[in-house]
Amino acid sequence: MTKLVFKFDDAETRDRYKLLTGLVVPRPIGWIGTRRRDGTNNLAPFSFFNVVSTNPPVVLFSAGSHPDRRKDSATLAEERGEFTVNIVSEDVVHAMSVTSGSFTADDDEFAIAGLTAEEGTMVDAPIVAESPANLECTVRQVIELGERTKLVLGDVVVIHVEEEVLDGTRVDNDVLRAIGRMAGATYIHTRDRFDIDRPD
């Protein structure tokens, strides 16, 4: 087997992006809800997202920049100290795609995508009512990654889950029907799964 070797110091930025997003798959999608100081809502999906700890319960998302400004989600989360994560299921994947478009800093992606913005119970950030599950988060830390990217870590303070998705506190993935991100315009269903028992 022959492997090509890419030294990232010598690689073009676009090639780095294509290699990393093509190899690190599938990635969960964090549909991040934030609110501006004037009360208008913001919503955008990020596939650089994950849960990184359960005790304490911490999630993170990473946001790059528009050509002319930082992405609103990271900026607003840092300014307001709170955000929501809305799980992307098969039922809302097309609405999620709409919210991934390029909008102005004043646009309300909830309204553009025809989604219902519900109020959080502990954070002043909007929840996607149509999403099967939502996390309310307070910002723990924001880390600058170079000049164009912010890494936002948030403490999960409340979780909302549709009753049908749960068996006690165990998530039924056949009901959740979450969507993952591959590279480019490709997404993946989470229906094709298999189990491997852990060794004793």
Side-chain angles (χ1 to χ4, degrees):
M1 180 187 304
T2 302
K3 293 182 180 176
L4 298 178
V5 177
F6 296 87
K7 295 183 178 179
F8 265 34
D9 285 346
D10 302 326
E12 296 289 333
T13 300
R14 187 66 185 168
D15 292 335
R16 296 179 191 182
Y17 176 84
K18 288 191 293 186
L19 285 164
L20 286 172
T21 58
L23 292 170
V24 183
V25 291
R27 297 184 306 280
I29 303 167
W31 208 5
I32 306 300
T34 50
R35 180 164 287 147
R36 300 178 183 89
R37 293 194 181 279
D38 66 4
T40 58
N41 296 321
N42 179 71
L43 181 66
F46 294 87
S47 64
F48 293 165
F49 160 79
N50 220 314
V51 57
V52 292
S53 173
T54 58
N55 187 22
V58 178
V59 295
L60 64 76
F61 72 95
S62 174
S65 299
H66 294 291
D68 59 338
R69 70 184 195 281
R70 293 293 186 111
K71 290 204 171 172
D72 299 332
S73 299
T75 299
L76 293 170
E78 184 174 24
E79 288 178 357
R80 303 299 303 274
E82 50 200 2
F83 62 93
T84 65
V85 177
N86 304 276
I87 302 303
V88 178
S89 67
E90 293 177 22
D91 291 337
V92 294
V93 67
H94 293 291
M96 178 277 298
S97 180
V98 171
T99 65
S100 70
S102 297
F103 301 104
T104 71
D106 299 321
D107 286 326
D108 182 340
E109 290 85 358
F110 280 86
I112 291 168
L115 295 164
T116 307
E118 289 188 348
E119 296 299 314
T121 58
M122 290 186 64
V123 303
D124 183 21
I127 288 172
V128 177
E130 292 82 0
S131 173
N134 323 84
L135 315 178
E136 297 186 37
C137 306
T138 57
V139 173
R140 166 181 283 260
Q141 186 178 3
V142 177
I143 301 171
E144 297 272 355
L145 300 177
E147 297 179 359
R148 298 182 59 84
T149 303
K150 285 188 178 183
L151 182 70
V152 181
L153 290 95
D155 292 308
V156 180
V157 294
V158 179
I159 296 180
H160 307 254
V161 188
E162 285 184 357
E163 186 176 356
E164 296 78 9
V165 171
L166 293 177
D167 178 10
T169 56
R170 184 175 296 278
V171 174
D172 185 336
N173 284 289
D174 290 323
V175 180
L176 181 66
R177 297 186 304 150
I179 293 293
R181 178 78 187 275
M182 302 295 281
T186 304
Y187 294 82
I188 188 168
H189 297 284
T190 51
R191 299 186 214 130
D192 183 15
R193 303 183 302 272
F194 60 92
D195 295 335
I196 298 177
D197 293 331
R198 295 177 62 178
D200 292 334

